[in-house]
Amino acid sequence: MIIQAAINGIFFGAVYAMIGIGFSLVWGVMGIVNLAHGSFIMIGAYISFTLFAAYGLDPFASIPLVMIILFALAYCIQRFLINKVVRGPSFITLTFTFGLQILIANLCLLVWRADYRSVKLSYSSAQLVESGVITIPLVRFGIFAAAILLTILFYLFMRKTRTGIAINATALNYEGARTVGVDVNNIYAITFAVSAALAGAAGALMLPITSMNPFFGGDIINKAFVISVLGGLGSTVGALVGGMTLSLAETLGTVFLPSAAQELIGFVFFVAVLVFRPQGLLGKRFY
Amino acid sequence: MKRKSLTLCVLALLAVITISLPFLVSGFWVRQFTEIFMYAILASALNIIAGYTGYTAFGNMVFFGMGAYTVAILMTKANFPFAVAFVCAGGISVIAAVLLGMLLLRLKGQYFALGTTGAMLAVRQIVDIWSDLTGGTQGISVPRLPGTPYFANAFFYFFMLALLVVTVLFVSRLHKNRLGYAFKAIRANEEAANVMGINTTKYKIIAWSLSAFFTGLTGAVYAYWFSYIESKTVFDVLWVTNMFVMIIVGGMGTVLGPVVGAFLLQTVSRYFWSRYMTLHLGILGTIIIFAVLCIPNGILRVRWKGITGFLFEKFLAVKNAGAEKENR
C-alpha cells in the first residue's frame, strides 16, 4: 500500500515538477507571481480534450500542438499586455494576472461548459508492471516519461541555446542584459510563452488520469506556489524536488490523513518554508 | 479660503444625501449602498498596509473571516450580545495581526503576498476542520437582528456608514501624523527608514494591526448583516483582488481613492452581474486588466480636463496633494 502510494507519488511528481518549472521561471526572471498559470494548464487540457473528442487524437500525440498554441497565446499576452506593467509593484502584477485568470476561467466555462471532462484511452487499463505488491499502469508510466523528457529538454534549452542563455542573463541583471543588446521585451515574452507551453503540456498529460473543469485553473495554482517555494525560484532541479515532495506528501498523506487536515498541513508547511527558508529547501535563490 | 468653503459645501451635501438616502430609495438599493460602504471600508483598511506601508497583503481577508467567525461563534455558542462580540472581533483581529505580523512581515513583495495568502488558506482549513465550533464547510448561522426588515436595512446602512466615516477620518489623519510618516518612510525605503531611527518592525506590525482592526470589524458587521457565513466566502481571494482593484482604480495611498474605487467598481460590477450573469466573471476580469493597464496610479491622479477636471482638482484631489508629490 505505502510502496504503491510512493510510486504513484513519484510518477505524478514529474507533472508537478513541470508545473513548478514554468511558474518559478516566470517568477524568477520577471518577478511576476503568475496567478493565471493554472489557467494555462487548464487550456492545455481542454485543447487536448477537444482534439481527442473530435479527431480521436491521443493526448500524448497532441502535446506538441498544445504547446505551440499556448506558446503563441502566452507570447502575445506578455508582449502586448503584461510587458506594460511588468516593472510595476507586486500588487499590480498580482491583480493583473488574477484578472486574467478569472477571464480565462469564464471563457472556458462558455466554451466547454461546467461539465467534468476526461478522456478514456483504449490502453487505459493496460499495466506495464503487474505483481502482487505493486502495479504500474502504462498510462502513468507514459505520463512520467513524457514529463521527464520535457523537463530535460527544458534544461537543455536554458543551458545550451542562445535564447535560454539570454533568459538567464536577463534574470541575473536586467540592465546588464539590455546593455549587451538583449531585446528584453522579446525575452520576457519568450520566457512567459515557454512557461505557458510547459503548463499546457502538463495539462494534456494530466487529462488521462484526472477530469477537467473550468475551476481547475484556480485550484491548482496553490500547488504551483508550494512547488516553487519548496524548490526555490528558477531552478529546474529544485522544481523537480519540490514537485516530487508535494506529490509524495499528497499520495502518502491520503493513506494516513483526512484530506482537510492534509491541506492544512500543506499550507502551514508552505508558510513555514517561506518564512524560514525563502531560498527553497535546496538553498539557492534565483539562477 | 474659497476652496475650503467649497469643500465644506460638498461635504455637507454628501452628508445630507447619504443620511436621507435610506428613507428615499427601496430596500434593494439600501443594501447595495451598504455593500459599497463595506467594500470601501475593506479597501481603505487594506490601503493602510498596502498603500501607505507598501506591503502587499494579499491574504488580508483572513481578518475579515476571523471577525465574522468571532461574531458568529460568540453569538451562537456563548449568547453574547452583538456589541460585545463586535468589540471582541476587533480585538481578535489585532492579536492575530500582531502574531502573524511578527512571522510574516519579515518577507517582502511577492513573498509577503504569498505568505499572507498561505496563512489565510491555513486559517480557512482550520475553520473547516473544527466543525464542532464553526460548523465546518456547512457554514454557520448567526441570530438575526430583531425588528422589521426595513429597520434592519437602515440599521446596517448607518452602521456601515459610521464605520466607513471613522475609517476614512482615521486614514486621513495618517497624512499628517508621525505614524503616517513612519508608514510612508517604510514604503519609500525601508532600510533608510531603519537607519533614520524608525523601528520598522514595530511600525509595520502597527500598520497591519490597524488594517486588521478595521477589516475584522467589517467582518463582524457582515456576519450579523447576512446572518449566515461560510468559510469559502469570508476567506475569498477574489474579494482581496477586488479590493486591490478598487485601490488601484482610486489611487494607491490616497484617502478617498479606495472609496471612489469601491463605488466605481461595485457599481459597474453590479450592472454587469444583473445583465450578463454567465459573463460576469469574464467582464470583471477584463475590467481588472484594463484598470491596471490604463490607470495604474488611480483615477484621482489622472490629469482631468474640463468640468470634471475642475471638480476633481477642487474637491477630491485636495487631500491627496501630499501623496502625489511624494510618489514622484
Side-chain angles (χ1 to χ4, degrees):
Chain A
M1 180 80 167
I2 292 173
I3 298 170
Q4 182 66 50
I7 288 173
N8 286 349
I10 288 173
F11 276 18
F12 201 62
V15 178
Y16 276 176
M18 272 175 71
I19 296 170
I21 287 169
F23 184 75
S24 78
L25 176 73
V26 166
W27 191 353
V29 173
M30 295 181 260
I32 291 180
V33 170
N34 178 19
L35 296 178
H37 195 69
S39 308
F40 294 139
I41 301 171
M42 185 169 71
I43 296 177
Y46 272 133
I47 293 173
S48 182
F49 167 80
T50 306
L51 290 173
F52 180 82
Y55 308 106
L57 190 64
D58 191 287
F60 287 105
S62 68
I63 289 175
L65 190 57
V66 166
M67 288 180 79
I68 290 169
I69 295 173
L70 274 157
F71 188 95
L73 175 73
Y75 186 91
C76 294
I77 291 176
Q78 176 73 33
R79 183 92 208 199
F80 300 115
L81 298 175
I82 303 184
N83 266 348
K84 303 202 188 310
V85 292
V86 69
R87 311 297 291 170
S90 60
F91 63 88
I92 290 274
T93 47
L94 275 170
T95 316
F96 186 94
T97 53
F98 190 85
L100 196 60
Q101 192 253 312
I102 56 177
L103 175 61
I104 294 175
N106 199 209
L107 291 178
C108 284
L109 182 69
L110 289 178
V111 177
W112 285 283
R113 305 285 151 207
D115 307 325
Y116 281 75
R117 306 288 193 180
S118 59
V119 300
K120 182 94 175 116
L121 298 169
S122 56
Y123 49 90
S124 61
S125 54
Q127 309 289 351
L128 185 70
V129 176
E130 195 163 18
S131 73
V133 195
I134 53 165
T135 55
I136 300 176
L138 185 62
V139 175
R140 280 185 182 269
F141 182 78
I143 292 167
F144 176 72
I148 293 291
L149 179 70
L150 284 168
T151 307
I152 293 170
L153 284 178
F154 170 80
Y155 187 79
L156 292 176
F157 166 75
M158 291 298 287
R159 291 295 149 119
K160 303 288 178 194
T161 64
R162 276 182 76 86
T163 316
I165 292 167
I167 292 174
N168 275 318
T170 314
L172 279 174
N173 192 329
Y174 175 83
E175 295 296 336
R178 272 178 63 155
T179 313
V180 297
V182 175
D183 179 358
V184 177
N185 279 342
N186 185 38
I187 286 298
Y188 273 3
I190 289 176
T191 308
F192 199 71
V194 167
S195 152
L198 281 175
L205 283 176
M206 287 167 103
L207 191 63
I209 50 169
T210 44
S211 56
M212 204 43 59
N213 67 71
F215 308 104
F216 183 83
D219 295 337
I220 195 137
I221 197 72
N222 293 337
K223 292 183 179 167
F225 296 162
V226 178
I227 299 162
S228 46
V229 167
L230 284 181
L233 288 189
S235 125
T236 312
V237 184
L240 260 177
V241 172
M244 294 288 175
T245 314
L246 177 68
S247 177
L248 273 176
E250 277 182 356
T251 45
L252 292 177
T254 44
V255 180
F256 300 111
L257 288 168
S259 71
Q262 204 185 314
E263 280 194 44
L264 172 63
I265 293 169
F267 289 129
V268 171
F269 190 60
F270 167 64
V271 174
V273 171
L274 208 50
V275 171
F276 298 109
R277 282 196 72 80
Q279 68 275 50
L281 291 177
L282 289 186
K284 239 181 79 188
R285 203 167 184 170
F286 297 114
Y287 283 81
Chain B
M1 193 61 216
K2 202 180 163 199
R3 172 178 284 193
K4 206 166 187 181
S5 55
L6 266 174
T7 317
L8 276 177
C9 283
V10 168
L11 279 179
L13 194 69
L14 262 180
V16 170
I17 291 173
T18 45
I19 289 172
S20 56
L21 200 70
F23 307 104
L24 300 175
V25 296
S26 70
F28 172 79
W29 286 106
V30 176
R31 284 194 298 277
Q32 296 303 309
F33 276 100
T34 315
E35 205 170 323
I36 290 175
F37 294 157
M38 179 178 79
Y39 274 113
I41 305 167
L42 292 175
S44 298
L46 182 62
N47 196 21
I48 299 175
I49 182 75
Y52 284 89
T53 323
Y55 272 73
T56 309
F58 218 68
N60 229 32
M61 281 294 280
V62 68
F63 306 118
F64 184 84
M66 280 185 176
Y69 269 98
T70 306
V71 163
I73 291 167
L74 287 180
M75 285 179 75
T76 50
K77 310 279 169 182
N79 287 322
F80 276 37
F82 174 69
V84 181
F86 178 73
V87 175
C88 290
I92 283 184
S93 301
V94 170
I95 294 168
V98 171
L99 293 177
L100 278 176
M102 289 196 289
L103 201 64
L104 291 174
L105 279 167
R106 63 179 84 181
L107 302 173
K108 284 199 174 70
Q110 314 272 19
Y111 287 90
F112 180 71
L114 285 193
T116 52
T117 313
M120 179 179 84
L121 295 173
V123 172
R124 177 171 152 186
Q125 289 299 330
I126 294 174
V127 167
D128 281 349
I129 290 171
W130 205 345
S131 50
D132 297 342
L133 194 66
T134 62
T137 46
Q138 301 285 311
I140 184 168
S141 294
V142 185
R144 277 187 179 281
L145 179 77
T148 61
Y150 178 79
F151 170 72
N153 281 341
F155 175 82
F156 287 113
Y157 177 90
F158 284 113
F159 207 120
M160 283 290 188
L161 181 62
L163 198 54
L164 176 62
V165 169
V166 171
T167 314
V168 168
L169 283 179
F170 183 86
V171 173
S172 73
R173 297 298 303 161
L174 287 181
H175 269 287
K176 292 166 208 136
N177 62 15
R178 283 179 68 87
L179 201 58
Y181 286 136
F183 294 167
K184 284 187 262 183
I186 291 171
R187 179 185 67 189
N189 188 335
E190 190 167 340
E191 276 153 29
N194 221 340
V195 173
M196 297 298 284
I198 297 170
N199 184 346
T200 49
T201 313
K202 184 178 119 190
Y203 280 103
K204 282 190 293 186
I205 290 178
I206 293 176
W208 209 23
S209 306
L210 288 170
S211 178
F213 180 68
F214 291 115
T215 311
L217 291 184
T218 316
V221 185
Y222 171 87
Y224 199 32
W225 180 29
F226 275 68
S227 77
Y228 168 77
I229 52 171
E230 55 179 352
S231 60
K232 74 168 191 280
T233 33
V234 294
F235 297 107
D236 192 350
V237 181
L238 179 60
W239 281 47
V240 188
T241 316
N242 271 338
M243 283 173 232
F244 269 105
V245 178
M246 287 162 188
I247 298 180
I248 292 167
V249 167
M252 205 87 185
T254 61
V255 177
L256 288 176
V259 181
V260 174
F263 194 84
L264 285 177
L265 185 73
Q266 198 55 24
T267 315
V268 173
S269 172
R270 274 288 142 183
Y271 174 80
F272 285 116
W273 188 66
S274 57
R275 245 147 253 238
Y276 313 101
M277 193 79 180
T278 49
L279 278 173
H280 171 240
L281 275 182
I283 292 170
L284 186 62
T286 315
I287 293 174
I288 290 174
I289 290 171
F290 281 99
V292 169
L293 279 179
C294 303
I295 36 173
N297 290 323
I299 218 158
L300 297 187
R301 295 208 183 96
V302 174
R303 291 260 157 253
W304 294 90
K305 294 202 172 74
I307 185 72
T308 36
F310 173 79
L311 289 172
F312 269 92
E313 292 280 314
K314 286 286 181 272
F315 305 126
L316 288 172
V318 174
K319 279 197 172 162
N320 309 314
E324 189 173 13
K325 229 178 285 162
E326 174 203 3
N327 259 19
R328 295 261 161 80

